[in-house]
Amino acid sequence: MTPRPRVKHTFRLPADLARQLADHARSRRVSQVAIVEAALASFLSPDGADRLEAAVSRRLDRLTRQADRLEWHVELSNETLALFIRFWLTSNAPLPDTALAAAQAMGKERWERFVESLNRRMELGPRLARELSQDVRKRSTEPPEA
């Protein structure tokens, strides 16, 4: 393999850029000339913009998929809460005044247990979405009832 002819260029770099170039070359164990050549080739390459656009496009696609999953989870949470509230409101009769204080005390205790349970699930799992998908899979594999 014959070496390509080289043309000498002399240029000045700002001190901080020269320091970064030297540090990068040292950490990568390559010459500063090799880094400058690769950077210029990449910068002047006609497909450089295409590569950058492809990388940005891949990143945007990934972000879109993440946003779609997030939207699904928020919808699931909203529907779960709405369904529970509707069920609770239609199935609980109003309490007489004599039972109100005891019911409030019991409600406070239940609320505290609920918050503890929620905290535990958020830290350790399992999550509701995972449980729902497992329930759906179980139902789809079970034989139909006769």
Side-chain angles (χ1 to χ4, degrees):
M1 185 188 322
T2 58
R4 295 184 304 196
R6 298 195 175 264
V7 177
K8 182 177 181 174
H9 287 272
T10 304
F11 53 90
R12 298 182 187 281
L13 296 174
D16 60 332
L17 186 58
R19 222 177 356 267
Q20 287 177 347
L21 175 62
D23 291 344
H24 189 74
R26 194 175 318 108
S27 71
R28 299 284 177 151
R29 295 184 178 167
V30 294
S31 70
Q32 293 182 28
V33 171
I35 293 173
V36 171
E37 285 178 359
L40 279 171
S42 176
F43 184 78
L44 298 174
S45 169
D47 66 336
D50 294 338
R51 281 186 285 149
L52 179 60
E53 183 180 340
V56 169
S57 179
R58 282 191 306 273
R59 180 68 176 141
L60 286 174
D61 288 345
R62 191 174 334 133
L63 288 171
T64 299
R65 286 190 304 274
Q66 289 172 343
D68 289 344
R69 279 193 306 272
L70 183 60
E71 178 185 19
W72 185 86
H73 286 286
V74 169
E75 246 182 80
L76 174 66
S77 298
N78 290 345
E79 287 299 316
T80 302
L81 182 60
L83 188 63
F84 173 77
I85 291 170
R86 178 182 287 166
F87 174 78
W88 187 84
L89 289 174
T90 57
S91 64
N92 286 317
L95 295 173
D97 290 339
T98 57
L100 196 57
Q104 286 175 340
M106 184 181 290
K108 182 178 180 187
E109 181 184 328
R110 286 180 177 173
W111 172 255
E112 289 169 359
R113 285 197 316 254
F114 168 76
V115 170
E116 288 172 10
S117 177
L118 179 62
N119 186 41
R120 191 170 42 255
R121 285 178 70 102
M122 291 304 290
E123 288 178 1
L124 307 174
R127 296 291 201 276
L128 177 64
R130 195 173 325 132
E131 284 184 10
L132 288 176
S133 63
Q134 289 170 353
D135 287 348
V136 168
R137 270 189 253 122
K138 280 183 198 173
R139 286 193 189 119
S140 65
T141 59
E142 291 176 353
E145 293 181 19

